[in-house]
């Protein structure tokens, strides 16, 4: 909320303002529908970025959209709402923003070079997007040797399994019901050195805590990514405590935040925001200053 006004000025979005609409976790579908109907019917509303509620909002509102992009349809989520030519459009931008983030800190060929695995805790929209990006057969040999997805509830695991069934891939995938942090600790013990370990649960931002216990031990040379960059970042603290001894690479969610927002702003306002280079660096610097980082 602090960053957007500075971005709007830099990007020349005259008179653009941001307004938040807050929901409870897994809110009443009627609440999501009311918000989407307001955006649709209000001539001054250009669109929206959807954060925690991507899957729930899509399930409640998909009949309200005139156009649903292929990513949104495949993944069953809404991360961006835009309006073009009188039509209300549903987008899923996470596959793009997560891919830009991952490729930025891993570089090309990471999985193909070292046979690393992927362990993503949380089976929501972010993990759906991340796994789609990394598991596709079109990536050739640069895919994880195994993917593990854990979640505290079974129905989310069932949903992501169904989505994965529609993606062409040869990567083996394990779906782990993990109601306790110790369940995720146990998965860490099975991972190969150099694996990518992700906190995509929302714990640390949407709710306090970490998906791991303090007894968890990361694989040697693992890349540890917390999708959060603000809040009670216990998961990051746990990784940083082992960073030296386990030779970890620890990444927070700041660049993911930048790609997520800039992709949506570009779509909603029909402007071009490069994903790298001087303009993107300026966007990042503006955000850092506005957020007080």
């Amino acid at each position: 909320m602090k960053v957007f006004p500075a971005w709007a000025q830099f990007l020349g979005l005259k008179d653009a303002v941001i307004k938040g609409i807050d929901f409870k976790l897994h809110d009443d579908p009627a609440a999501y529908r009311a918000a989407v109907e307001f955006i649709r019917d209000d001539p001054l509303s250009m669109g929206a970025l959807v954060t925690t509620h991507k899957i729930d909002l899509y399930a409640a509102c998909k009949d309200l959209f005139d156009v649903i992009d292929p990513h949104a349809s495949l993944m069953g989520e809404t991360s961006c709402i835009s309006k073009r030519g009188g039509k209300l459009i549903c987008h899923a931008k996470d596959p793009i923003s997560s891919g830009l983030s991952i490729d930025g800190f891993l570089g090309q060929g990471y999985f193909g070079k070292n046979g690393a695995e992927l362990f993503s805790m949380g089976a929501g929209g972010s993990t759906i997007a991340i796994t789609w990006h990394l598991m596709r057969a079109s990536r050739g040999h640069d895919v994880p040797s195994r993917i593990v997805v854990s979640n505290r509830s079974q129905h989310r695991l069932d949903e992501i399994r169904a989505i994965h069934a529609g993606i062409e891939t040869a990567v083996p995938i394990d779906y782990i019901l993990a109601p306790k942090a110790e369940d995720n600790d146990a998965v860490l013990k099975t991972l190969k050195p150099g694996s990518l370990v992700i906190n995509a649960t929302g714990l640390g931002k949407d709710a306090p805590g970490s998906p791991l216990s303090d007894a968890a031990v990361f694989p040697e040379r693992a890349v540890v990514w917390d999708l959060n960059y603000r809040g009670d970042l216990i998961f990051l603290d746990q990784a940083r405590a082992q960073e030296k001894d386990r030779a970890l690479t620890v990444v927070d969610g700041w660049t993911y935040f930048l790609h997520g927002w800039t992709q949506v702003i570009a779509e909603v306002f029909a402007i071009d925001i490069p994903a790298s280079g001087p303009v993107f660096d300026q966007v990042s610097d503006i955000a850092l200053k506005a957020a007080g980082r």
Side-chain angles (χ1 to χ4, degrees):
M1 304 303 284
K2 294 178 181 178
V3 170
F4 181 82
W7 277 345
Q9 182 177 3
F10 173 70
L11 295 169
L13 303 178
K14 186 178 179 181
D15 300 326
V17 296
I18 185 170
K19 297 290 185 182
I21 302 175
D22 294 327
F23 302 101
K24 296 179 292 184
L25 287 176
H26 308 304
D27 211 336
D28 186 329
Y32 299 119
R33 291 183 68 84
V36 172
E37 288 169 346
F38 172 80
I39 293 166
R40 179 193 64 192
D41 298 335
D42 176 30
L44 296 180
S45 294
M46 300 287 290
L49 180 144
V50 184
T51 55
T52 304
H53 309 269
K54 299 177 182 73
I55 293 174
D56 290 335
L57 186 142
Y58 180 87
C61 303
K62 58 185 176 181
D63 64 298
L64 298 177
F65 296 108
D66 300 301
V67 179
I68 298 175
D69 80 14
H71 286 153
S73 180
L74 172 65
M75 298 175 190
E77 68 162 62
T78 305
S79 60
C80 171
I81 299 171
S82 71
K83 297 161 83 170
R84 291 285 188 282
K87 294 183 177 182
L88 190 69
I89 307 172
C90 165
H91 310 264
K93 293 296 184 181
D94 275 358
I96 300 169
S97 55
S98 63
L100 289 168
S101 300
I102 291 168
D103 293 343
F105 62 74
L106 286 185
Q108 289 188 338
Y110 181 83
F111 292 100
K113 292 173 185 175
N114 60 25
E117 299 170 310
L118 165 66
F119 176 32
S120 191
M121 290 167 278
S126 294
T127 292
I128 293 170
I130 290 165
T131 53
W132 173 86
H133 177 73
L134 292 176
M135 69 192 283
R136 291 168 296 147
S138 60
R139 287 177 63 91
H141 296 297
D142 190 22
V143 294
S145 58
R146 178 178 65 129
I147 291 174
V148 184
V149 177
S150 72
N151 200 74
R152 290 184 292 183
S153 61
Q154 184 62 47
H155 80 280
R156 286 292 198 220
L157 293 174
D158 294 339
E159 289 172 352
I160 195 171
R161 185 195 295 267
I163 291 168
H164 285 163
I167 302 171
E168 184 181 358
T169 185
V171 178
I173 308 173
D174 296 328
Y175 303 91
I176 306 295
L177 183 63
K180 299 180 295 182
E182 290 76 13
D183 299 319
N184 289 318
D185 294 355
V187 174
L188 287 185
K189 296 177 181 179
T190 73
L191 298 177
K192 296 178 181 178
S195 290
L196 174 59
V197 180
I198 303 174
N199 173 24
T201 64
L203 290 175
K205 178 173 72 74
D206 302 321
S210 166
L212 299 173
S213 80
D214 286 336
V217 178
F218 290 94
E220 290 185 349
R221 304 189 307 280
V223 179
V224 183
W225 187 24
D226 193 338
L227 300 191
N228 303 320
Y229 67 93
R230 59 181 174 84
D232 182 28
L233 302 177
I234 294 175
F235 177 82
L236 275 178
D237 292 339
Q238 291 168 328
R240 286 170 178 153
Q242 300 179 39
E243 188 170 5
K244 184 176 180 180
D245 290 345
R246 306 294 288 174
L248 307 180
T249 299
V250 182
V251 184
D252 72 8
W254 180 252
T255 303
Y256 185 48
F257 156 76
L258 291 177
H259 285 305
W261 273 86
T262 53
Q263 289 290 317
V264 171
I265 291 170
E267 187 69 59
V268 169
F269 292 97
I271 61 174
D272 178 54
I273 305 176
S276 62
V279 173
F280 185 81
D281 292 342
Q282 285 181 274
V283 167
S284 177
D285 290 343
I286 290 167
L288 286 168
K289 183 178 179 180
R293 282 174 61 92

